[in-house]
């Protein structure tokens, strides 16, 4: 599962749509906020606050500007990309230890351009009220933007500091295997398309590997479930056969990132 994070206006939704165009499937969050003019029913499950109690399996429950966002387990196990905030990603990983996640962090080199984009969005989605002066309208929009930025600054400043100190992996849950930065200058859509294509190809390679492993009885696999593999391995130090357990995606990543690891698990198959 690929989790797409980034500050508001960074281009998370645009990047997710590029991945959808490459046959990846986006999780639809549930939200109590009103639908934006630019949105369709394909973007979210829009529900009322009175409907919240009807969903007992809420995960990654987040409140932003008094509106709630969450996802269900069924969405997670049937889709492969999810737009979410950073703290929500951490909480989700802790709530679902049986799922392996990859974080994709959308970064903007020019934050002023992001803020300009964000301001345009807020004006579009928050029409001027009756009898509201231009000055009051501008102040209201600025207050909304400042409030949103303040809520995001703490978590993303912390994340950026972890990048700089090289301590990010130490802080992530075991089933969050890293945070991969994607640069979006909000100008060159072709650059973003190229990065989306690479991610989709990497993902499809992992899926093919998982399927290949699952279907082969010659891989030394003693047990396979949707959660992972129980694999028979040979320890060269003790010269004993051992049983090793790995989640599906973790095993696929292990082989994908370093093909020679395949020999550790299924050496004889290399000659096939």
């Amino acid at each position: 599962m690929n989790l797409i994070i980034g500050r508001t206006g960074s281009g998370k939704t645009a990047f997710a749509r590029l991945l959808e165009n490459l046959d990846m499937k986006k999780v639809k969050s549930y939200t109590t906020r009103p639908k934006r003019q630019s949105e369709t029913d394909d973007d979210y499950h829009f529900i009322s606050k009175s409907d919240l109690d009807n969903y007992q399996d809420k995960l990654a429950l987040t409140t932003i500007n008094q509106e709630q966002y969450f996802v269900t387990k069924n969405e997670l196990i049937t889709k492969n990309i999810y737009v979410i905030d950073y703290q929500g990603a951490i909480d989700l990983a802790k709530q679902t230890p049986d799922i392996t996640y990859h974080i994709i962090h959308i970064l903007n080199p020019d934050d002023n351009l992001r803020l300009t984009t964000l301001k345009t969005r807020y004006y579009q989605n928050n029409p001027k009220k009756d009898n509201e002066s231009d000055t009051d309208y501008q102040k209201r929009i600025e207050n909304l933007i400042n409030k949103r930025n303040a809520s995001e600054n703490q978590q993303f400043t912390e994340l950026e500091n972890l990048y700089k100190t090289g301590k990010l992996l130490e802080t992530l849950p075991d089933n969050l295997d890293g945070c991969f930065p994607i640069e979006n200058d909000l100008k060159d859509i072709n650059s973003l398309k190229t990065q989306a294509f690479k991610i989709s190809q990497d993902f499809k390679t992992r899926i093919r590997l998982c399927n290949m492993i699952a279907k082969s009885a010659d891989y030394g696999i003693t047990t396979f479930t949707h959660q992972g593999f129980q694999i028979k391995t040979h320890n060269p130090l003790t010269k004993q056969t051992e049983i090793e357990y790995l989640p599906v995606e973790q095993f696929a990543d292990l082989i994908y990132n370093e093909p020679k690891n395949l020999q550790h698990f299924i050496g004889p198959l290399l000659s096939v």
Side-chain angles (χ1 to χ4, degrees):
M1 168 62 72
N2 299 279
L3 305 177
I4 303 175
I5 68 169
R7 295 175 185 267
T8 303
S10 61
K12 302 185 298 295
T13 301
F15 193 71
R17 284 174 178 161
L18 289 175
L19 291 174
E20 282 188 284
N21 291 338
L22 294 165
D23 299 324
M24 295 183 72
K25 296 181 180 180
K26 184 168 76 74
V27 166
K28 283 175 63 175
S29 293
Y30 291 77
T31 180
T32 60
R33 71 161 172 76
K35 187 192 302 181
R36 296 169 183 158
Q37 291 181 355
S38 61
E39 291 177 327
T40 69
D41 288 334
D42 290 334
D43 294 309
Y44 286 93
H45 294 288
F46 294 97
I47 63 171
S48 66
K49 291 182 179 178
S50 61
D51 290 331
L52 282 172
D53 290 340
N54 295 333
Y55 299 90
Q56 302 301 318
D57 58 341
K58 292 188 287 289
L59 295 169
L61 182 62
T62 305
T63 301
I64 300 175
N65 293 336
Q66 287 77 55
E67 302 292 353
Q68 291 190 299
Y69 298 75
F70 66 91
V71 70
T72 62
K73 184 69 174 287
N74 184 63
E75 281 283 325
L76 293 177
I77 62 178
T78 57
K79 308 292 174 62
N80 41 53
I81 49 176
Y82 183 24
V83 177
I84 190 173
D85 67 275
Y86 174 60
Q87 189 55 53
I90 299 298
D91 293 341
L92 181 63
K94 291 178 179 178
Q95 292 171 348
T96 53
D98 57 319
I99 300 176
T100 301
Y101 296 97
H102 315 273
I103 291 183
I104 300 169
H105 185 191
I106 309 297
L107 297 167
N108 308 115
D110 185 352
D111 199 53
N112 288 327
L113 185 56
R114 180 188 70 86
L115 291 173
T116 299
T117 302
L118 185 58
K119 185 177 290 187
T120 300
R121 177 193 295 180
Y122 268 75
Y123 275 114
Q124 289 176 342
N125 295 322
N126 297 274
K128 187 178 178 181
K129 298 178 180 178
D130 294 338
N131 303 320
E132 187 176 31
S133 69
D134 290 343
T135 300
D136 288 343
Y137 181 40
Q138 183 177 350
K139 286 182 178 178
R140 179 165 66 87
I141 296 299
E142 288 177 352
N143 286 336
L144 288 172
I145 292 173
N146 290 337
K147 185 177 181 180
R148 184 60 180 263
N149 279 332
S151 69
E152 291 184 336
N153 278 339
Q154 181 175 358
Q155 58 176 298
F156 281 104
T157 298
E158 177 185 346
L159 175 60
E160 288 152 11
N161 287 335
L162 290 171
Y163 276 143
K164 294 174 184 177
T165 59
K167 295 182 178 180
L168 179 61
L169 288 177
E170 298 175 14
T171 68
L172 296 178
D174 291 341
N175 57 329
L176 261 175
D177 71 351
C179 197
F180 309 100
I182 294 292
E183 192 169 282
N184 180 19
D185 62 8
L186 299 171
K187 297 177 184 177
D188 185 5
I189 188 64
N190 288 325
S191 173
L192 206 59
K193 284 181 178 178
T194 298
Q195 295 181 87
F197 179 76
K198 182 180 184 305
I199 285 177
S200 71
Q201 291 302 106
D202 286 352
F203 177 77
K204 289 173 184 177
T205 298
R206 288 183 171 91
I207 291 297
R208 284 196 297 270
L209 182 58
C210 281
N211 290 337
M212 180 180 71
I213 294 168
K215 290 177 181 178
S216 176
D218 299 326
Y219 274 45
I221 297 171
T222 59
T223 304
F224 169 72
T225 69
H226 73 281
Q227 295 180 341
F229 299 98
Q230 197 173 63
I231 304 166
K232 192 181 297 181
T233 65
H234 178 72
N235 188 322
L237 296 179
T238 63
K239 297 183 179 180
Q240 298 293 318
T241 298
E242 299 176 354
I243 297 297
E244 194 165 338
Y245 176 83
L246 284 176
V248 173
E249 290 190 10
Q250 185 178 336
F251 181 58
D253 285 345
L254 184 67
I255 305 304
Y256 178 79
N257 293 325
E258 191 57 67
K260 68 180 182 182
N261 284 328
L262 194 60
Q263 187 172 7
H264 172 68
F265 294 102
I266 47 176
L269 204 67
L270 292 175
S271 59
V272 175

